[in-house]
């Protein structure tokens, strides 16, 4: 693991908080933690931080971006690569073409969970994405969303949602 000591306290708190929720499976997180890197670099983007799911790197724009670490660690906890696909939360990316589906929903759930577990740390830009999550919670349980998210299993949630679809 290539994590400096200054970030280890956040990782420890993350594990401690999420381990208390019986609906959270940290298997993917523990696997990704083995090769996770956290770096500070100004990427000239509007976001204070980001998770590079292709290379398992959390990139912080500057030291003040540490407030976004829990959001990014949630991405780490829900991202896996299988064959030609990257599954992250409820999104799915075709590696070769970079076709990405479900990113907005995944960001909404990630921010929803960040606020649920760690409170509102900084002002979020995910208003619309969180709105969709709240609508989704009107159809399926939070438990189902968490189980699907932390297993990066969008198919399980989609199967649950089919009961609301009509097929002609």
């Amino acid at each position: 693991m290539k994590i400096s000591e200054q970030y280890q306290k956040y990782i420890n708190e993350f594990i401690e908080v999420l381990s208390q929720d019986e609906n959270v499976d940290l298997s993917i997180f523990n696997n990704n933690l083995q090769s996770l890197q956290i770096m500070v670099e100004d990427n000239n983007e509007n976001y204070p931080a980001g998770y590079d799911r292709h290379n398992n790197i959390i990139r912080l724009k500057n030291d003040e971006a540490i407030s976004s670490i829990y959001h990014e660690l949630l991405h780490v906890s829900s991202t896996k690569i299988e064959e030609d696909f990257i599954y992250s939360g409820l999104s799915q990316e075709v590696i070769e073409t970079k076709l990405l589906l479900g990113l907005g929903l995944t960001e909404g759930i990630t921010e929803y969970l960040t606020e649920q577990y760690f409170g509102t740390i900084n002002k979020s830009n995910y208003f619309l994405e969180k709105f969709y999550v709240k609508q989704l919670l009107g159809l399926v349980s939070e438990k189902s969303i968490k189980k699907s998210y932390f297993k990066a299993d969008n198919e399980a949630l989609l199967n649950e949602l089919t009961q609301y679809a009509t097929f002609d």
Side-chain angles (χ1 to χ4, degrees):
M1 179 168 45
K2 303 172 187 176
I3 310 278
S4 77
E5 199 171 302
Q6 78 183 89
Y7 303 120
Q8 194 60 51
K9 67 180 180 179
Y10 298 102
I11 292 171
N12 292 342
E13 181 182 6
F14 180 85
I15 293 168
E16 182 181 328
V17 169
L18 270 71
S19 294
Q20 296 174 26
D21 188 335
E22 65 184 23
N23 298 309
V24 173
D25 181 343
L26 288 175
S27 300
I28 291 174
F29 179 77
N30 291 328
N31 183 57
N32 287 340
L33 191 56
Q34 301 308 309
S35 62
L36 178 66
Q37 296 177 56
I38 300 175
M39 3 178 104
V40 175
E41 62 181 29
D42 189 350
N43 55 12
N44 292 321
E45 299 210 9
N46 294 333
Y47 302 105
Y51 177 59
D52 176 348
R53 61 188 167 276
H54 294 265
N55 299 300
N56 197 25
I57 301 171
I58 293 176
R59 299 181 195 279
L60 304 171
K61 189 169 189 168
N62 52 42
D63 287 330
E64 286 98 48
I66 197 67
S67 63
S68 299
I69 192 87
Y70 299 115
H71 178 101
E72 303 311 328
L73 287 170
L74 280 163
H75 284 307
V76 173
S77 72
S78 65
T79 299
K80 64 183 179 182
I81 298 175
E82 290 183 355
E83 298 177 20
D84 299 329
F85 298 94
I86 297 176
Y87 299 94
S88 186
L90 298 178
S91 67
Q92 179 176 334
E93 179 180 355
V94 180
I95 295 172
E96 185 177 322
T97 63
K98 304 261 194 267
L99 175 64
L100 179 60
L101 302 171
L103 180 62
L105 183 58
T106 292
E107 288 297 344
I109 292 171
T110 303
E111 190 61 19
Y112 172 84
L113 293 173
T114 301
E115 292 174 2
Q116 183 184 59
Y117 292 122
F118 303 101
T120 303
I121 298 169
N122 54 4
K123 189 174 179 178
S124 169
N125 291 324
Y126 296 109
F127 302 111
L128 187 58
E129 292 88 345
K130 288 190 304 182
F131 171 79
Y132 290 132
V133 171
K134 289 175 183 171
Q135 300 307 305
L136 183 60
L137 284 166
L139 299 173
V140 296
S141 70
E142 185 174 276
K143 177 180 178 178
S144 293
I145 290 174
K146 286 179 181 179
K147 287 189 177 252
S148 294
Y149 179 89
F150 286 104
K151 290 184 178 180
D153 184 6
N154 58 6
E155 189 174 339
L157 191 63
L158 289 172
N159 286 337
E160 189 169 341
L161 286 169
T162 58
Q163 67 183 313
Y164 301 101
T166 56
F167 300 98
D168 292 335

